[in-house]
Amino acid sequence: MSSRLKDVAALAGVSTRTVSNVVSGTGAVAEETRARVQSALDELGYRPNVAARNLRAGRTGLIGLAIPELHSPYFGELAGMIVEAAQQRSWTVVIDQTFGDREAERRLLEGTGGRLVDGLIISPWALGPEELTGRARDVPVVLLGEQQAHGVADRVAVDNVLAADEATTHLLSTGRRRVAAIGVQPHLRNETARQRLSGYRQALRRAGLPPEPALERSVTTLHRKDGAEAMSALLESDERPDAVFAFSDELALGALHVAVERGVRVPEDLAVVGFDGIEDGRYANPSLTTVVPDKQQIAERALQCLADRIYSPASTVPPLDIVIPHHLDIRASSGRTG
């Protein structure tokens, strides 16, 4: 006979409510208690009837994940972590790709086509704050990234200004004085690029170096090709940079490829730092120094926010603005050897 909640509760010495909270991933449960309940669940082989539970609660067991680009290594790695973390809650993730298109983002936020998911995690690139405001609906939404929602939805983000400042400061600390920035995107309502540019300029000003427009390179996308083209232009300019801070690892890898191809010594002649902490950077030659956001924590915190809203729809807790930690992984491209 299959085990029931009360059997698990009796073995673990807790209430059925506590067991239910552990199974659903909701509610405040002490780590020691959670471990004891999980041990009882494993020992008894308890498997929740997810379909029946969702049916009774009027839920589908599906959550949506809308990201700009599936082929982006950063979003690909993050999506994988979200899927794995969602599986621990017995959720299935439906992934959509927006390409940063305004209408695609608006359609997903407005839920065109009826309620197919219990909640949505979205990384908006095109919609501005005023468009995100007022998009609240009966399906909980969690925003990833830098677009403000003005109290409409929970948001999970990295402090891009601080991270970019730290990356630029690191380059300056190695004696570099002509630090270029690759990744400016004036054509997009992309707060990520704006904030990273702000952090870059902030570090320069603190070092007594005024920003130079010729060293701030715009890109159409954040791909390797754009980084390569920007690096080519910089190397062909009258005054070459001695360092590059790229707003994504893909841009940095494109820049690194062109520099090495043209005989520029990295890091002796040119130091390079990226942003995102993708796995490819570890295996570049030389290995890429990068700002590493805690992607695992982004995934887990976003899902926890979604769970809290799904299972407590009447909650009066205001939307959260969660800042995820990051660190600078210093590798060979900016001076470390060995």
Side-chain angles (χ1 to χ4, degrees):
M1 186 175 72
S2 61
S3 300
R4 296 166 295 178
L5 276 182
K6 66 178 184 179
D7 300 322
V8 178
L11 180 60
V14 298
S15 67
T16 55
R17 164 65 91 178
T18 298
V19 176
S20 179
N21 286 343
V22 171
V23 171
S24 65
T26 61
V29 180
E31 284 305 313
E32 185 275 332
T33 303
R34 186 181 298 277
R36 196 164 70 247
V37 171
Q38 188 60 57
S39 177
L41 288 167
D42 295 340
E43 182 176 337
L44 294 175
Y46 176 83
R47 295 291 180 272
N49 189 330
V50 177
R53 186 177 67 198
N54 287 332
L55 185 62
R56 287 194 301 271
R59 295 190 289 262
T60 66
L62 303 176
I63 63 167
L65 173 62
I67 54 179
E69 299 173 332
L70 281 171
H71 63 271
S72 159
Y74 172 79
F75 284 112
E77 291 175 12
L78 179 59
M81 293 176 185
I82 289 174
V83 168
E84 289 181 10
Q87 289 173 344
Q88 300 302 311
R89 299 175 182 273
S90 299
W91 286 346
T92 298
V93 181
V94 180
I95 302 177
D96 209 335
Q97 182 173 232
T98 67
F99 297 104
D101 177 73
R102 184 183 306 277
E103 289 306 313
E105 292 179 359
R106 180 181 289 116
R107 172 178 54 81
L108 287 165
L109 278 170
E110 292 178 344
T112 300
R115 178 170 173 169
L116 301 177
V117 296
D118 297 327
L120 173 68
I121 299 173
I122 180 170
S123 177
W125 272 7
L127 295 182
E130 70 281 0
E131 294 167 298
L132 291 170
T133 302
R135 296 294 176 189
R137 53 198 172 97
D138 60 339
V139 176
V141 173
V142 175
L143 302 179
L144 299 181
E146 287 55 58
Q147 293 287 22
Q148 298 289 340
H150 296 286
V152 172
D154 295 315
R155 185 175 72 104
V156 180
V158 174
D159 188 337
N160 280 289
V161 175
L162 176 62
D165 185 318
E166 291 174 353
T168 307
T169 298
H170 163 66
L171 289 169
L172 294 170
S173 73
T174 66
R176 318 291 169 157
R177 285 297 176 266
R178 294 188 54 76
V179 182
I182 296 178
V184 183
Q185 294 187 298
H187 62 292
L188 291 180
R189 303 185 69 169
N190 188 338
E191 285 301 311
T192 301
R194 285 188 176 87
Q195 291 180 13
R196 292 178 188 177
L197 179 61
S198 176
Y200 158 80
R201 288 174 172 173
Q202 180 174 283
L204 291 181
R205 284 193 296 268
R206 193 171 56 250
L209 300 171
E212 297 184 35
L215 292 178
E216 297 178 359
R217 293 290 166 163
S218 298
V219 297
T220 303
T221 71
L222 302 178
H223 301 160
R224 291 171 174 82
K225 178 176 178 290
D226 298 83
E229 291 174 350
M231 189 73 253
S232 293
L234 285 167
L235 292 177
E236 291 164 5
S237 63
D238 292 335
E239 297 183 59
R240 289 186 174 190
D242 56 15
V244 167
F245 168 47
F247 292 4
S248 78
D249 281 352
E250 284 196 82
L251 291 173
L253 290 171
L256 189 63
H257 172 78
V258 167
V260 172
E261 189 177 58
R262 295 195 180 189
V264 177
R265 297 177 303 163
V266 179
E268 292 85 355
D269 302 327
L270 180 77
V272 180
V273 172
F275 199 120
D276 285 339
I278 66 174
E279 194 68 11
D280 287 356
R282 188 180 301 277
Y283 299 99
N285 188 18
S287 57
L288 179 65
T289 294
T290 179
V291 175
V292 185
D294 190 335
K295 292 189 283 291
Q296 187 63 48
Q297 193 170 152
I298 291 174
E300 292 172 357
R301 295 298 296 275
L303 287 167
Q304 185 61 57
C305 286
L306 215 53
D308 291 343
R309 303 298 177 185
I310 290 171
Y311 294 118
S312 301
S315 172
T316 58
V317 176
L320 303 176
D321 203 3
I322 299 170
V323 178
I324 298 299
H326 65 271
H327 71 275
L328 183 66
D329 193 347
I330 300 174
R331 300 179 184 147
S333 70
S334 66
R336 183 178 69 79
T337 59

